[in-house]
């Protein structure tokens, strides 16, 4: 199994359990902007932004990344980490056969990734993905 990159997912501080309304959307956008500015001081640049999730990367080492989000837009939980693999279908099969708890089944997302969520032995939710 080949891992391409590992990205920590940092939750914004807009408040747990907030209902998605205009005020929440504005708060998430402001939190994402604050994080972009803060991590920008450390040399990270925005490489992806879907409004609910933004990924920042190092210009000199593009695989050094972090993602900022309040909540996942399509899954029932927000992952703690994203792990991009070469073959997401093989990873899914390996997790199922290994008896791992699948939190979000294998799914093709509209933004061009195929992914699933699995719970690790520490209780952390891992977003395992591949780009289509």
């Amino acid at each position: 199994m080949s891992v391409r990159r590992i990205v920590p997912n940092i939750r914004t501080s807009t408040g747990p359990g907030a209902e998605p309304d205009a005020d929440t959307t504005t708060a998430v956008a402001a939190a994402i902007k604050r994080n972009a500015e803060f991590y920008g001081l450390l040399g990270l640049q925005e490489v992806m932004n879907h409004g609910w999730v933004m990924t920042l990367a190092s210009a000199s080492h593009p695989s050094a990344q972090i993602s900022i989000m309040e909540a996942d837009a399509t899954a029932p939980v927000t992952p703690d980490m994203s792990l991009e693999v070469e073959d997401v279908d093989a990873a899914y099969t390996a997790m199922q056969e290994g008896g791992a708890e699948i939190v979000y089944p294998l799914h093709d997302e509209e933004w061009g990734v195929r992914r699933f969520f699995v719970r690790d032995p520490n209780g952390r939710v891992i977003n395992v993905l591949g780009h289509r």
Side-chain angles (χ1 to χ4, degrees):
M1 179 106 22
S2 177
V3 174
R4 293 186 172 172
R5 67 188 169 114
I6 299 172
V7 181
N9 298 323
I10 300 171
R11 299 256 340 233
T12 61
S13 60
T14 59
E19 291 296 318
D21 59 18
D23 290 338
T24 302
T25 302
T26 301
V28 169
I32 285 177
K33 182 176 188 255
R34 283 192 310 272
N35 278 276
E37 291 168 354
F38 174 83
Y39 288 104
L41 297 173
L42 296 170
L44 297 179
Q45 302 170 345
E46 183 180 304
V47 294
M48 183 205 59
N49 190 334
H50 291 299
W52 60 272
V53 60
M54 171 186 62
T55 299
L56 304 169
S58 165
S60 59
H61 300 285
S63 62
Q65 301 180 355
I66 59 170
S67 289
I68 311 295
M69 71 177 74
E70 169 57 28
D72 194 287
T74 62
V77 297
T78 300
D80 297 296
M81 178 175 70
S82 295
L83 195 144
E84 183 181 359
V85 296
E86 189 171 308
D87 186 343
V88 70
D89 292 284
Y92 188 72
T93 299
M95 290 290 108
Q96 285 184 311
E97 289 175 356
E101 178 189 353
I102 304 297
V103 179
Y104 180 66
L106 191 60
H107 187 79
D108 291 321
E109 302 291 1
E110 65 185 39
W111 57 90
V113 300
R114 183 167 172 79
R115 69 182 184 155
F116 68 94
F117 292 3
V118 62
R119 194 171 310 277
D120 80 2
N122 304 302
R124 299 294 181 177
V125 175
I126 311 304
N127 171 27
V128 181
L129 69 118
H131 285 87
R132 290 182 279 161

